[in-house]
Every structure is written in C-alpha cells, then in structure tokens.
Amino acid sequence: MAKKDIYRIVDGLKDLCTEACRTIWDHPELAGEEDFGSEYYSKLLRKAGFRLETNENVPHAFIAEWGSGHPVLAVLGEYDALPGLSQKRSISKKEELTPGGAGHGCGHNILGAAAATAAIALKEAMEKDGLEGTVRFYGCPEEELLCGKVRMISYNMFDGCDFALSWHPMSVNMTFDSSYLANASFRFSYKGISAHAGFAPQNGRSALDAMELTNIGVQYLREHVIDGTRIHYTTDSCGYAPNIVHPEAKSWYYVRAPHMADVKETMERVRKCAQGAAIMTETQVKFELLSGCSEMLVNNAFSDLTYRNLLELDPIEYTEEEFEFARKIQDTVALETCMRDRRAYDCDGSMFEGIAPRDQWARTPMLASTDSGDVSQIMPMNLFTAAAWPVGVAPHTWQATACAGSSLGEKAALWAAKAIAAVGYDVLTMPEEREKITGEFEARKSSNYVPMI
Ligand SMILES: [Zn+2]
C-alpha cells in the first residue's frame, strides 16, 4: 500500500482521534490515578477489534493487541496529567479551569490519542494487505512519575515485542538521535527527638537540621559530579511550629545523569550526605527508592527510517486564527526564551513548520528523563516530536496545556498518527530495515540492564 493510502486511513479516523484528544484533556488525571484514561482507551481499542490484557501488579496499564506472529509492534500511549496546570482550553492567558486542579501540560492527551489512532490505522492497513504481524497499543500509566513503563517491564508486559514506536508533543517536528537522561527518584525520612525549642533545646535532636545539612552537603557535592548531572529536591512540609525541635522531616530527591551507572553512583554519594547529616545531628535517616528510569538508547537506523517518513508527510496547515492564537501564546513567554528557541530552531514565526534537519539539532541531549528510556533498553525504539505548541513554549506550562487542548494539539496528534502508522507499515513490510534496526540495537544494548523498580 502506498503511503498516501495509509494517510487516508488515518484521515478516516480523524473524528476518533480528535475526540480522544478532547475527552482526555477534559479529564486530567494525575500519575497513578488514571482510572478514566485507561478505561477510555481500553474501550476504544476493544471496540476497534483489539484483544485486551491487563496486569494486576500495574494498575491502569494495559495491552490492546491485534494480529498474530512477528514482527510485534508496540505503539506507546500515555494519558497522565500534571498537578497545578489546570487551564482553560484555547485561551492565550493563564486562567484555571479548576482551581488547583491538574492539566495536560505535557500533552499526553494528544500523545495517547495519536498512538491509539495509529494502532487502529495499522490494523486496517494490515488487514487490507493481509500482512503477517502483531500490533499492540500499550496503555502506559504514570509517565510523569517516571515509573509506569519500568514497572510494566518488571512485570513482563513488554515480553515478545520486537519494535517500539513513540512520539511526544513539543514545539518542533523532529526525530531524535540523542538520549534522555537516566533518573532516580528517592526519599529521605529523618527521625529525631522532639523538645521545646526555647525551654529545653538540649533535649532535642532535630530531623529538620539533618535534612538541611544533607541539602548543604549536596550543594558541595555538585562540584564533583560528571557534566550533565542534575540533582534537584523538594521537602515535604514538616507541619511543626518554630518552637518545636522537629522530630520528623522528609525530602524527595531526583538525580539525573547521562547513564544509569552515573545516576547510581551519584545517588550513593547523596545517601552519604544524608548519613553524615544524621551522624552530625544524632538523628536517624531512612532511604527509600521511589523510581528510576534509564537513559534512551539511540537507534540511528530507526531514526533514519522515521526521518524519511516525516519528510514524506505533508506539513500541518494552520489557519490564520491558529497562527494568531499561537502568536498570542508566544507573546506570554519571556522574550529572551522565545528568541533563543527561535534562533535554535531557525524559526521566524510562531509555529515550527517543516522538519528539523537531523545533523543540527537531533543530537542535542534532552536534559529531561522519560520511562520510555527503559523500553529503548529492551527493544529498538524510535522517538520523534511534533509541533503542538509555539516555539518558545516549554512542556509542563499552562501555555502547553492551553495548546494541547486546542486545534493546534489536535492537528499535531493526527499528523503524528500518520507518521507512526507510516513508520510501522515500513517496519512490517521492509525486512532489510528491520535487520538494520535490530542489528544496531543488538550492537548497542547493555547486557546488564535491569529495571530499577
Ligand atoms: Zn511527557
């Protein structure tokens, strides 16, 4: 089947795709709470003729499968939202829809919609052409806590897959030849002895002091870690008054680095800061690993194939109203940020049109983390981004939430669905491409990968 026939199949699913974008945007659920999202996509895929499989150990995760035999394609879908990003749809100023509520600031509403649409389109294409193979839509929860797919791997939900297809909304259209950072998320719980802070401070042992001394130790540690390391933390509210020596305190850390081995090493050194602080303050500290995800394993052969498919696709056409909306959104971003991104992406206007050349930007490391990194460790995975919001807008912002709920997001989803379906079709029908991609994966993969949780 020609590519234009695949695009036609996806165009035939436009209403389904748009409705999914809107419905999930209207029901923002935090990581770990995706009752509505997982149910919505389960029903959608079942109705489209897919078999469903769940795993009691990974709530809100599911596999929807169609076809038989190899190759087995895993199309990755997500549906979780972010706290504090509730935002009205399609307006160019910050205005909460639900005070303090969640919002789709990472565009996972359109991410999941495009993935589901692509999986259904692939099924149709395979049926028409009588192709051998299996297509699976993976309902992946808890991406924002960087743990859903890691747990799915731990419980063997990705067993039997040959290739993973993924995308993410962003401000540019491009393939990735660079990695994301590996990450560990962990908590310290300190225990001390409470006392009256004025009357008998000598009797107290402060958990809060221990937490603060840990953080100070970490500030000194920053000078002695490898480039690309990121250490950030937050503290749980202690809930005590200043006149009480705090018997309890908690902090939550992220350590990121280019490779998981570096993350583990730095995490151990952060733990030593906490142990040292506990000795200094005569308190106790408990360490708890919450989640951890690996860096992305690059696959240039898969990126080549994806890039060729992105070039073949007609660019998204925007209306004057959409450009106007994008310009207004862009105006709310700090001018320097906007100009920097416009220079970096060689973009004069508000929306990035065209495909970013691979040699220039695709190799810039992404200084964030994703649990898709773990999927790339166990099978060849591609990743591309599609412009869903204006250049200068970053994910995890109200601006991204507003755009993900607008026609900009919906158009990005349909475009991404075409790209995923086209790449998937190539993988199914081009054994020489499969060989190249698998060969590169085998050469690069780590023999000692284990999921962190
Ligand atoms: Zn995301």
Side-chain angles (χ1 to χ4, degrees), residues 86 170 212 274 382 431:
S86 175
M170 209 56 80
E212 288 187 334
N382 79 337

Side-chain angles (χ1 to χ4, degrees), residues 84-151:
L85 284 181
S86 175
Q87 168 65 29
K88 285 191 180 159
R89 188 194 295 282
S90 305
I91 64 163
S92 53
K93 64 175 192 242
K94 182 167 168 39
E95 218 170 284
E96 284 182 320
L97 190 65
T98 313
H104 272 288
C106 207
H108 292 184
N109 63 313
I110 52 179
L111 191 162
T117 305
I120 296 168
L122 273 168
K123 169 187 175 272
E124 278 188 37
M126 290 165 79
E127 274 176 324
K128 280 203 178 108
D129 281 6
L131 295 180
E132 172 81 359
T134 306
V135 56
R136 291 181 183 173
F137 171 87
Y138 273 86
C140 306
E142 293 191 89
E143 197 284 331
E144 295 296 356
L145 289 177
L146 304 173
C147 59
K149 297 185 198 76
V150 186
R151 207 165 280 136

Side-chain angles (χ1 to χ4, degrees), residues 16-25 29 34-52 60 62-64 77-80 104 107-120 137-140 167 413:
L16 175 147
C17 185
T18 305
E19 200 184 316
C21 290
R22 288 183 190 172
T23 310
I24 299 295
W25 194 91
E29 296 172 303
E34 304 100 326
D35 291 329
F36 181 88
S38 55
E39 188 61 28
Y40 180 85
Y41 283 118
S42 297
K43 272 192 196 145
L44 188 81
L45 275 296
R46 193 188 289 123
K47 207 172 145 200
F50 285 67
R51 304 178 288 272
L52 253 61
H60 310 118
F62 71 94
I63 304 165
E78 296 163 12
Y79 27 75
D80 57 339
H104 272 288
H108 292 184
N109 63 313
I110 52 179
L111 191 162
T117 305
I120 296 168
F137 171 87
Y138 273 86
C140 306
W167 82 289

Side-chain angles (χ1 to χ4, degrees), residues 3-329:
K3 287 288 158 60
K4 63 176 187 344
D5 297 319
I6 295 170
Y7 305 152
R8 207 170 290 137
I9 294 175
V10 176
D11 278 327
L13 296 164
K14 186 180 172 190
D15 289 349
L16 175 147
C17 185
T18 305
E19 200 184 316
C21 290
R22 288 183 190 172
T23 310
I24 299 295
W25 194 91
D26 283 338
H27 294 82
E29 296 172 303
L30 295 181
E33 299 174 3
E34 304 100 326
D35 291 329
F36 181 88
S38 55
E39 188 61 28
Y40 180 85
Y41 283 118
S42 297
K43 272 192 196 145
L44 188 81
L45 275 296
R46 193 188 289 123
K47 207 172 145 200
F50 285 67
R51 304 178 288 272
L52 253 61
E53 196 184 302
T54 54
N55 186 309
E56 56 176 13
N57 298 297
V58 196
H60 310 118
F62 71 94
I63 304 165
E65 182 184 83
W66 182 87
S68 63
H70 290 272
V72 179
L73 307 187
V75 186
L76 307 181
E78 296 163 12
Y79 27 75
D80 57 339
L82 287 155
L85 284 181
S86 175
Q87 168 65 29
K88 285 191 180 159
R89 188 194 295 282
S90 305
I91 64 163
S92 53
K93 64 175 192 242
K94 182 167 168 39
E95 218 170 284
E96 284 182 320
L97 190 65
T98 313
H104 272 288
C106 207
H108 292 184
N109 63 313
I110 52 179
L111 191 162
T117 305
I120 296 168
L122 273 168
K123 169 187 175 272
E124 278 188 37
M126 290 165 79
E127 274 176 324
K128 280 203 178 108
D129 281 6
L131 295 180
E132 172 81 359
T134 306
V135 56
R136 291 181 183 173
F137 171 87
Y138 273 86
C140 306
E142 293 191 89
E143 197 284 331
E144 295 296 356
L145 289 177
L146 304 173
C147 59
K149 297 185 198 76
V150 186
R151 207 165 280 136
M152 289 167 81
I153 291 170
S154 290
Y155 287 100
N156 308 314
M157 291 182 77
F158 284 101
D159 284 9
C161 293
D162 298 311
F163 301 91
L165 303 166
S166 74
W167 82 289
H168 201 289
M170 209 56 80
S171 59
V172 285
N173 305 314
M174 70 179 202
T175 50
F176 263 69
D177 289 287
S178 69
S179 185
Y180 275 69
L181 298 178
N183 177 77
S185 163
F186 49 95
R187 187 183 294 283
F188 291 123
S189 305
Y190 302 90
K191 270 219 172 329
I193 300 169
S194 158
H196 190 295
F199 182 67
Q202 69 280 6
N203 293 338
R205 297 292 180 267
S206 173
L208 180 61
D209 289 356
M211 183 176 79
E212 288 187 334
L213 285 165
T214 302
N215 297 344
I216 289 167
V218 169
Q219 314 313 351
Y220 284 90
L221 175 65
R222 288 183 198 279
E223 194 188 342
H224 308 286
V225 293
I226 61 157
D227 282 354
T229 302
R230 296 280 189 277
I231 310 175
H232 9 263
Y233 59 81
T234 182
T235 58
D236 288 11
S237 164
C238 297
Y240 295 98
N243 62 352
I244 298 168
V245 174
H246 285 42
E248 282 175 336
K250 281 181 183 174
S251 59
W252 177 18
Y253 265 83
Y254 271 16
V255 170
R256 307 184 204 246
H259 300 286
M260 185 45 102
D262 306 317
V263 166
K264 285 181 178 166
E265 189 186 312
T266 303
M267 183 175 75
E268 285 311 311
R269 295 171 73 194
V270 172
R271 282 182 80 171
K272 283 180 184 160
C273 292
Q275 287 158 1
I279 291 172
M280 280 194 274
T281 52
E282 298 177 62
T283 57
Q284 285 164 351
V285 62
K286 196 179 108 205
F287 166 87
E288 186 191 357
L289 180 68
L290 301 173
S291 67
C293 60
S294 298
E295 68 274 15
M296 189 87 78
L297 202 60
V298 171
N299 193 303
N300 293 130
F302 217 163
S303 289
D304 283 342
L305 181 69
T306 308
Y307 184 64
R308 289 202 299 274
N309 272 289
L310 294 192
L311 288 179
E312 252 183 83
L313 252 172
D314 284 339
I316 300 173
E317 281 178 25
Y318 301 105
T319 63
E320 254 327 297
E321 292 77 52
E322 284 165 341
F323 277 127
E324 181 61 18
F325 172 61
R327 266 192 297 273
K328 282 185 178 162
I329 286 275

